[in-house]
Amino acid sequence: MLVFSLGTFREKMFMPLGFMCMCLMMSVLLVVREEQHWDSLVNIGLEIAEAKACDLYVLQLSDGMVGSGLPEITWQEHETMKTCCVATSNSERTIKDAIILEKSDILIIHDASDHSASQKRVVNDLMQDVACEVMVVRMGERDLEFDLGKILVPCSGGRHSRVALRLANKISPHNSTALYVEPDVDEVSESVGFAHLHRYVTRAGISLDSIRCHVELDDNPFIGIRREAESEDYGL
């Protein structure tokens, strides 16, 4: 299962899918480092770009020599996207330049537990500094080269949830689940949870007929989310 962690220069949060709208739709910028994740990441980028009616720009980075200066970003045209492969000693500045150059409103960047401290710092700094939506991707075991599969959206009622629900509904209508974790207090807890969840889905402008709604009862939201994530064949 793929996990997204989202944030912007103002706020930061963690959930399988969710992010904040900060500007008008212009383009999607996908940053790729590891060649083995190229196909899956590009498929994610294409799905997001299509759902948002944006162009996709794929920036492939490699490490450049210290003191070599910032590279020139020149895009190569392809049928479904534009790509650029550069070596840079300052990946954060290069990514920011690409965002400004293409007026990107969504940045998709890969993260992993085995990444270096400097790579992790770049991801964290971008989440704090850039004014666009930031989607931090952590790859799971599922191959997403051809199909993202089912989408799970944990909801808490905030604007992150609303944007995530709308995007999931565009990417995979009738194949997405809105999830709410309600503390297991008494016999009406599940009904209370569904009342919250239905209100959140409706506020996002989504018909209850187009998305599956599910409530997990648990005092720990993380446990509730993980239980549902493992119960179905979720890809995102």
Side-chain angles (χ1 to χ4, degrees), residues 89-133:
S89 60
N90 190 336
S91 56
E92 181 179 343
R93 183 66 262 171
T94 301
I95 294 170
K96 288 179 178 178
D97 287 347
I99 292 172
I100 295 171
L101 179 65
E102 301 308 331
K103 301 179 177 62
S104 302
D105 69 326
I106 303 177
L107 167 65
I108 306 174
I109 188 168
H110 179 224
D111 185 31
S113 59
D114 59 352
H115 279 183
S116 66
S118 61
Q119 287 177 302
K120 291 180 180 295
R121 184 169 59 251
V122 167
V123 172
N124 289 331
D125 289 347
L126 287 169
M127 291 181 72
Q128 299 297 328
D129 294 343
V130 300
C132 65
E133 301 166 359

